Amino acid sequence: MHSFGYRANALFTFAVTILGFMCALASFTDSFNSPSPSVQVQVLKVNWFQKQPNGNDEVSMTLNISADLQSLFTWNTKQVFVFLAAEYVTPKHVLNQISLWDAIIQEKENAKFTITTSNKYRFIDQGSNLRGKEFNLTLHWHVMPKTGKMLADKVVLPGYRLPAEYR
Amino acid sequence: MDCEGQKLAEQLMQIMLLSFAVIAIGAGYITASFQTMILTYAGGVVLTTLVTLPNWPFFNHHPLKWLDPSEAEKHPKPQPSVNVTAKKKFTSI
């Protein structure tokens, strides 16, 4: 307070410190939000199912994904990254996960959606294990806040099965 | 700015910034808009800057009373003594 520069420094430092506290508080209010998302996925059709020349199985399918993720959004949410992963067991690996489709949702209104699409990313196995394979489709989401810690969660949808023979 | 004014300016700055922070959090939470909170607070910071930073006249209501020039002449400043003889003795270590 003895000079202009002194006051400017004190004001600026105090203002930024308070801003830090405000952001921490905003992030804290997220803990009061209890999300209740709902998801349904149908495999409408297996488009084709082949063994590649290099020996790996590949399948292409059309999926119908219907989800309501609106309860994940708070005032402190910047965007939600959501992706659908297929999970299955092979003799060589206990867990195989492949991302089939993803999206970035930036507005709460867009978080309730139904989409019919073929898999965005290729479903290729490491090896030739997919005939008749039972797999889970898991929808993962990452809630990215404007300030604070990212939250990741998922819902597992079991009970899907691939065809027994190539087509 | 005088001494009283400095104290006033500092108090005013702290109170104003804290109040604007509280108002901003309230406004943002009610409208569920993070942007509202940030903009309200930014406006508050600018207003606080305008009020407390410049050397406004109302910060100078209790100016220091300097000695009157005519009084100062009657009591001249003592002169330093001419022989400055004190020399430090260095002992070698």
Side-chain angles (χ1 to χ4, degrees), chain B:
Chain B
M1 223 186 255
D2 61 56
C3 205
E4 282 294 318
Q6 288 174 12
K7 183 171 154 196
L8 178 65
E10 176 160 8
Q11 283 176 337
L12 214 56
M13 173 201 63
Q14 288 171 340
I15 293 174
M16 280 179 81
L17 281 181
L18 283 171
S19 323
F20 273 111
V22 170
I23 294 171
I25 293 174
Y29 195 72
I30 288 172
T31 61
S33 164
F34 198 86
Q35 184 161 16
T36 304
M37 175 173 92
I38 296 293
L39 288 178
T40 313
Y41 182 62
V45 171
V46 169
L47 190 67
T48 309
T49 310
L50 288 175
V51 169
T52 61
L53 232 50
N55 205 355
W56 298 115
F58 65 81
F59 286 128
N60 215 11
H61 281 331
H62 303 273
L64 278 174
K65 283 208 177 61
W66 295 107
L67 199 55
D68 207 46
S70 52
E71 274 294 316
E73 278 168 18
K74 294 180 193 167
H75 308 273
K77 188 174 163 184
Q79 295 296 321
S81 113
V82 181
N83 346 332
V84 181
T85 53
K87 262 192 189 173
K88 263 211 171 134
K89 288 203 171 126
F90 290 100
T91 51
S92 47
I93 299 168

Side-chain angles (χ1 to χ4, degrees), chain A residues 39 41-43 61 63 83-90 94-100 123 130 132-140 154-162:
Chain A
V39 179
V41 179
Q42 287 170 289
V43 177
M61 49 180 127
L63 301 159
F83 68 97
L84 186 72
E87 296 172 352
Y88 57 95
V89 182
T90 56
V94 167
L95 178 63
N96 301 266
Q97 286 172 310
I98 301 188
S99 177
L100 297 179
F123 191 160
L130 289 185
K133 179 59 76 181
E134 232 186 82
F135 63 100
N136 295 342
L137 284 173
T138 309
L139 193 76
H140 297 251
K154 63 183 181 192
V155 67
V156 181
L157 303 165
Y160 300 89
R161 186 185 282 275
L162 284 172

Side-chain angles (χ1 to χ4, degrees), chain A residues 61-96:
Chain A
M61 49 180 127
T62 305
L63 301 159
N64 182 22
I65 307 167
S66 168
D68 181 1
L69 301 172
Q70 287 187 323
S71 57
L72 295 171
F73 276 77
T74 68
W75 71 309
N76 187 30
T77 303
K78 183 172 175 355
Q79 64 192 20
V80 172
F81 174 67
V82 57
F83 68 97
L84 186 72
E87 296 172 352
Y88 57 95
V89 182
T90 56
K92 204 167 167 202
H93 300 285
V94 167
L95 178 63
N96 301 266

Side-chain angles (χ1 to χ4, degrees), chain A residues 30-147:
Chain A
D30 274 355
S31 60
F32 298 130
N33 184 42
S34 44
S36 52
S38 64
V39 179
Q40 273 172 324
V41 179
Q42 287 170 289
V43 177
L44 292 177
K45 190 174 115 161
V46 172
N47 302 333
W48 45 265
F49 184 11
Q50 291 294 324
K51 183 172 180 161
Q52 303 297 345
N54 56 21
N56 297 332
D57 282 351
E58 180 174 354
V59 60
S60 164
M61 49 180 127
T62 305
L63 301 159
N64 182 22
I65 307 167
S66 168
D68 181 1
L69 301 172
Q70 287 187 323
S71 57
L72 295 171
F73 276 77
T74 68
W75 71 309
N76 187 30
T77 303
K78 183 172 175 355
Q79 64 192 20
V80 172
F81 174 67
V82 57
F83 68 97
L84 186 72
E87 296 172 352
Y88 57 95
V89 182
T90 56
K92 204 167 167 202
H93 300 285
V94 167
L95 178 63
N96 301 266
Q97 286 172 310
I98 301 188
S99 177
L100 297 179
W101 170 86
D102 58 28
I104 294 178
I105 307 172
Q106 289 176 321
E107 300 289 336
K108 190 171 177 172
E109 296 77 43
N110 301 344
K112 186 169 182 178
F113 62 91
T114 302
I115 181 171
T116 303
T117 171
S118 62
N119 46 308
K120 196 170 170 184
Y121 305 108
R122 299 171 66 178
F123 191 160
I124 303 179
D125 187 25
Q126 290 179 329
S128 183
N129 303 304
L130 289 185
R131 272 164 296 176
K133 179 59 76 181
E134 232 186 82
F135 63 100
N136 295 342
L137 284 173
T138 309
L139 193 76
H140 297 251
W141 56 83
H142 293 333
V143 180
M144 298 171 190
K146 294 196 170 101
T147 66

